[in-house]
């Protein structure tokens, strides 16, 4: 059986490259940013640097949708997820970023880890602004842009 890959129809431009991820912009649409993991794991220091860079960008030029493409990740890191939800998303909410799309890897263990991690965050931080955000999952960047 041959696996067929479809070419992405939406043109993206790399805004900044990190060791473990790229930050992309959708050509002609300044309101969408994409974080594309390029390795199986993003160390927490770089994870914070990536999202702090995005926060600085959003403070200068509004972004209404963030897409986080995690398809290459194989390692789930709860402390990164907690920081992302409890600290970073709180600040981004105040800057107007309220639409988040996530693309998970096909790995069911990773998906289950994400679910358990989200449930834990909801228990510990039940009143977070993340509850007021439009957070959805997609299967591709194309779908995430449209959704």
């Amino acid at each position: 059986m041959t696996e067929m890959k479809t070419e992405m129809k939406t043109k993206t431009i790399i805004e900044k490259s990190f060791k473990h991820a790229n930050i992309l912009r959708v050509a002609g649409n300044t309101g969408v940013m994409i974080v594309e993991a390029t390795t199986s794991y993003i160390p927490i220091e770089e994870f914070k640097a990536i999202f702090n860079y995005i926060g600085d960008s959003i403070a200068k030029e509004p972004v209404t949708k963030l897409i986080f493409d995690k398809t290459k990740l194989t390692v789930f890191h709860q402390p990164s997820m907690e920081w992302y939800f409890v600290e970073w998303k709180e600040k981004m909410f105040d800057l107007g970023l309220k639409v988040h799309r996530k693309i998970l890897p096909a790995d069911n263990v990773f998906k289950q880890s994400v679910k358990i991690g989200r449930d834990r965050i909801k228990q510990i931080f039940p009143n977070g602004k993340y509850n007021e955000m439009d957070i959805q999952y997609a299967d591709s960047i194309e779908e995430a842009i449209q959704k």
Side-chain angles (χ1 to χ4, degrees):
M1 187 181 291
T2 307
E3 181 179 321
M4 294 177 51
K5 294 187 177 189
T6 57
E7 194 71 29
M8 193 166 89
K9 295 176 187 138
T10 303
K11 183 171 174 56
T12 58
I13 301 158
I14 295 177
E15 178 172 314
K16 182 158 178 70
S17 290
F18 288 85
K19 186 174 180 182
H20 299 90
N22 290 321
I23 306 220
L24 309 170
R25 290 282 191 151
V26 174
N29 186 344
T30 58
V32 177
M33 282 186 101
I34 302 166
V35 177
E36 172 191 48
T38 57
T39 60
S40 62
Y41 175 69
I42 302 173
I44 191 165
E45 299 81 22
E46 184 173 330
F47 186 87
K48 288 181 178 182
I50 291 164
F51 285 94
N52 284 329
Y53 172 86
I54 291 169
D56 292 344
S57 294
I58 292 171
K60 295 174 194 162
E61 180 181 346
V63 170
T64 55
K65 182 187 285 186
L66 178 70
I67 299 167
F68 191 0
D69 181 356
K70 304 177 185 185
T71 53
K72 291 191 178 168
L73 294 178
T74 58
V75 177
F76 173 80
H77 189 245
Q78 182 68 24
S80 294
M81 186 177 190
E82 284 185 18
W83 175 85
Y84 175 64
F85 267 79
V86 177
E87 292 185 38
W88 188 81
K89 283 188 178 187
E90 293 285 309
K91 293 175 188 170
M92 295 309 103
F93 184 90
D94 293 337
L95 292 175
L97 177 62
K98 297 177 180 151
V99 177
H100 296 259
R101 298 295 179 260
K102 297 162 193 264
I103 306 164
L104 297 178
D107 179 1
N108 286 331
V109 173
F110 190 95
K111 289 178 182 177
Q112 187 62 28
S113 296
V114 168
K115 182 183 179 324
I116 291 167
R118 265 194 343 260
D119 291 345
R120 181 170 184 254
I121 290 168
K122 284 182 180 180
Q123 287 176 348
I124 298 170
F125 305 100
N127 299 319
K129 291 178 183 172
Y130 63 85
N131 289 310
E132 299 175 48
M133 295 178 168
D134 177 2
I135 302 171
Q136 296 181 40
Y137 293 89
D139 292 325
S140 68
I141 289 175
E142 287 288 334
E143 181 186 343
I145 291 168
Q146 299 303 318
K147 209 172 189 182

